[in-house]
């Protein structure tokens, strides 16, 4: 039982044509819910901490909770920094014992993104830590988007090859139409599979990453709205599209919004149906159970990674 890098996980996922779920964690109940599912499904697992989560909880708490999860379950897992925006935060996480970091230089011009990513790769690899980078800008495919707009936003396949070669990065987050949050598509959900297919063909054996990959389960959107939330029209990536992406080198699928939706829906339900309850365990407990059930469903039916740990 230990913290492990993503290296071997991704090799196996690539060959087996499945994806490892990378779940964002912000507190104990979220971690526990995910661990229940991963244990039950015997699934490989990445727990990821964003810069915002790290700031909210203070760097030490989430790391210690993840250590507790490993000790409690005896499972191996990868602890990953999500969207590190500069060298400093990546360095801190490497020094703190994270086994994987993301340097997100996607907002910088190509050459600057390469230089920043390479600096992080050099530091992390010397210390046995794997690195994810990002190329392209996450955005949904609007109905009226034209080819030029798509080319300026989404990941360019030839640039992806050059980027990987020049940085030595271990995995690459690509933009093909997914986006963060609960409102991913105005019209019908669409991903640029042609682009994905080309990137994966040009980078054989190389693991790709999908950010913004929550499915936004309608049962939780409805439950939230039924109990007072105002999130009409929330829409995510259809499960079958995520499953299809695993056929084209996508080895890591990021999920955060779905955890938030499930947790909040359950808490809202308890607050409305049991107004006398004010013991946090009485509303965080059901939220943790809902997360466990939802994550197990994803591992089995969407990521196709049950039994692969
Ligand atoms: N992420 C999650 C980013 C969370 O600052 P923050 O803690 O809000 O950052 O990287 C994803 O790709 C999640 O995608 P999703 O929104 O579709 O779940
Ligand atoms: Zn992301």
């Amino acid at each position: 039982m230990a913290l492990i890098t993503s290296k071997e996980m991704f090799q196996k996922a690539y060959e087996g044509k499945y994806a490892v779920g990378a779940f964002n964690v912000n507190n104990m109940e979220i971690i526990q819910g995910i661990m229940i599912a991963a244990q039950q499904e015997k699934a490989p697992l990445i727990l990821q901490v964003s810069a915002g989560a790290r700031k909210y909880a203070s760097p030490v708490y989430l790391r210690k909770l993840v250590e507790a999860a490993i000790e409690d379950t005896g499972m191996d897992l990868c602890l990953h920094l999500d969207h590190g925006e500069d060298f400093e935060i990546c360095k801190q996480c490497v020094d703190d014992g994270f086994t994987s970091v993301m340097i997100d230089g996607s907002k910088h011009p190509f050459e600057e993104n390469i230089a920043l990513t390479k600096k992080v790769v050099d530091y992390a690899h010397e210390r046995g830590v794997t690195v994810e980078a990002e190329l392209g800008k996450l955005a949904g495919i609007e109905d009226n988007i034209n080819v030029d707009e798509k080319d300026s936003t989404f990941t360019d396949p030839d640039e992806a090859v050059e980027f990987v070669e020049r940085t030595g990065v271990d995995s690459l987050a690509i933009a093909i139409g997914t986006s963060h949050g609960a409102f991913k598509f105005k019209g019908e959900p669409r991903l640029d599979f042609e682009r994905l297919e080309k990137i994966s063909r040009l980078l054989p054996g190389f693991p790709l990453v999908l950010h913004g990959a929550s499915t936004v389960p309608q049962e939780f959107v409805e439950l939230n709205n039924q109990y007072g939330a105002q999130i009409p029209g929330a829409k995510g990536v259809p499960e079958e599209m995520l499953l299809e992406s695993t056929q084209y080198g996508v080895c890591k699928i990021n999920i955060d919004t779905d955890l938030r939706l499930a947790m909040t829906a359950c808490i809202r339900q308890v607050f409305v149906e049991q107004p006398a309850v004010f013991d946090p365990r009485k509303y965080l407990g059901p939220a943790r159970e809902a997360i466990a059930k939802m994550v197990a469903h994803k591992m089995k039916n969407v990521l196709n990674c049950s039994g692969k740990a």
Side-chain angles (χ1 to χ4, degrees), residues 266-284:
C266 293
I267 293 171
R268 279 183 178 281
Q269 184 172 17
V270 174
F271 282 177
V272 172
E273 286 183 354
Q274 303 174 64
V277 163
F278 58 91
D279 177 347
R281 294 169 296 188
K282 296 265 165 46
Y283 51 85
L284 293 174

Side-chain angles (χ1 to χ4, degrees), residues 82-83 102 134 138 180 211-212 254:
D82 189 27
H83 290 285
M102 175 189 192
E134 179 165 325
L138 289 198
H180 291 127
H211 280 245
N254 280 13

